[in-house]
Amino acid sequence: MARELRRPAKVVDLHADTFLSDWEDYDADELLAESLELLRETLDAAIYWEYTEIRFIHGKGKGTLRREVYNELESYKSSGAIASFHPSYQNEDIVVVHIGL
């Protein structure tokens, strides 16, 4: 039997304190890795469910999470898995990912 991915939210906050109850126990690199894993899992599910768009909140901070999120999205775009991505026009702390054309 094929595994079915859970339908993701249309807006996903990548800040670790929103999805990890014990986030204080992680160091910065581990938190970044967890956030990127959530991005991948959620984006893969959105592609599976044929979403046309999904938004990820990466915030301001030092820009480390934003930079890594954009790097990850660039690899998805290069592979043809997504059509495009850009900062939200309303809030640059959010990236809008266009999955289909």
Side-chain angles (χ1 to χ4, degrees):
M1 181 170 164
R3 182 180 83 130
E4 186 172 297
L5 298 176
R6 195 170 145 214
R7 187 179 296 267
K10 300 222 177 192
V11 178
V12 179
D13 192 339
L14 297 175
H15 292 97
D17 62 337
T18 65
F19 64 90
L20 291 174
S21 61
D22 59 346
W23 65 272
E24 299 98 342
D25 298 335
Y26 291 75
D27 67 26
D29 289 338
E30 292 171 324
L31 291 173
L32 179 60
E34 291 291 333
S35 293
L36 292 175
E37 183 61 28
L38 177 62
L39 168 79
R40 289 183 206 104
E41 288 174 3
T42 308
L43 184 51
D44 289 346
I47 292 166
Y48 173 84
W49 284 101
E50 299 179 347
Y51 284 20
T52 57
E53 177 182 294
I54 189 166
R55 295 168 183 256
F56 293 97
I57 302 169
H58 53 67
K60 287 181 176 68
K62 295 178 182 176
T64 304
L65 180 57
R66 179 180 60 238
R67 184 173 48 256
E68 293 303 318
V69 164
Y70 276 67
N71 286 341
E72 191 68 28
L73 293 174
E74 188 58 48
S75 77
Y76 271 82
K77 184 178 176 197
S78 295
S79 73
I82 63 172
S84 65
F85 60 93
H86 60 82
S88 168
Y89 299 120
Q90 291 83 24
N91 184 343
E92 64 184 26
D93 300 343
I94 299 172
V95 61
V96 180
V97 180
H98 299 278
I99 297 168
L101 296 175

